[in-house]
Amino acid sequence: MRRLMLLGWLLLAAVVAGLGFIRLAPSDPLDWNTQPEFTEDKEFRGGVFRVVRTGPDGLERFHRIASHAPRTSVLAGGPDDGMVTYITRTQVLGFPDYTTAAQDGDLLKVYARLRFGRSDLGANRERINGWLAEMEGASQEASAGQ
């Protein structure tokens, strides 16, 4: 009985340590504030690429939405730099997802990916599609108001 109880406590300590590492692991901007070359939308198990024709102010408009999203903060960069990387954490366990958005002429290129695990169960795709839809809606409202 004692061994079973000790094993239970050790297992609990390992789970707490693992979750603590996930929550507190440092995010080096040099590792995450980057984007591979891509020219079209693509989905993969841990994230998405999106390429959207936004005009030259797309990153600024995207930044206004992303920087105010729940559980999201800026890791590195800004609209003036031409590229921004955001960290968005899951609500319960605090798993980090990274989104890098860059302006390339009239194109906004968005790269969202997870840090831990193999699959994000579509969370990055849903979040990025939502941010882009919100950006498009705000753009349509602004042009309708003129």
Side-chain angles (χ1 to χ4, degrees), residues 127-140:
R127 182 176 52 260
I128 298 310
N129 289 346
W131 287 354
L132 292 173
E134 189 176 337
M135 193 172 108
E136 181 64 29
S139 177
Q140 289 176 355

Side-chain angles (χ1 to χ4, degrees), residues 35-46:
Q35 247 187 8
E37 286 296 320
F38 60 96
T39 57
E40 60 186 29
D41 290 357
K42 181 179 177 185
E43 295 183 12
F44 50 97
R45 281 194 329 185

Side-chain angles (χ1 to χ4, degrees), residues 93-141:
L93 297 178
F95 280 83
D97 287 333
Y98 297 86
T99 302
T100 302
Q103 191 73 46
D104 184 7
D106 283 347
L107 298 176
L108 176 66
K109 295 183 175 183
V110 181
Y111 172 39
R113 68 267 192 210
L114 56 74
R115 176 171 180 176
F116 298 106
R118 292 187 176 178
S119 174
D120 66 349
L121 304 173
N124 280 304
R125 180 186 64 238
E126 288 178 30
R127 182 176 52 260
I128 298 310
N129 289 346
W131 287 354
L132 292 173
E134 189 176 337
M135 193 172 108
E136 181 64 29
S139 177
Q140 289 176 355
E141 286 177 18

Side-chain angles (χ1 to χ4, degrees), residues 18-27 32 46 71 73 75 86-91 93-99 112-117 120 123-124 127:
L19 292 175
F21 174 77
I22 288 169
R23 175 63 85 163
L24 301 173
S27 298
W32 296 101
R71 301 175 314 281
S73 60
L75 173 65
Y86 309 89
I87 300 177
T88 304
R89 293 194 175 271
T90 60
Q91 191 167 2
L93 297 178
F95 280 83
D97 287 333
Y98 297 86
T99 302
R113 68 267 192 210
L114 56 74
R115 176 171 180 176
F116 298 106
D120 66 349
N124 280 304
R127 182 176 52 260

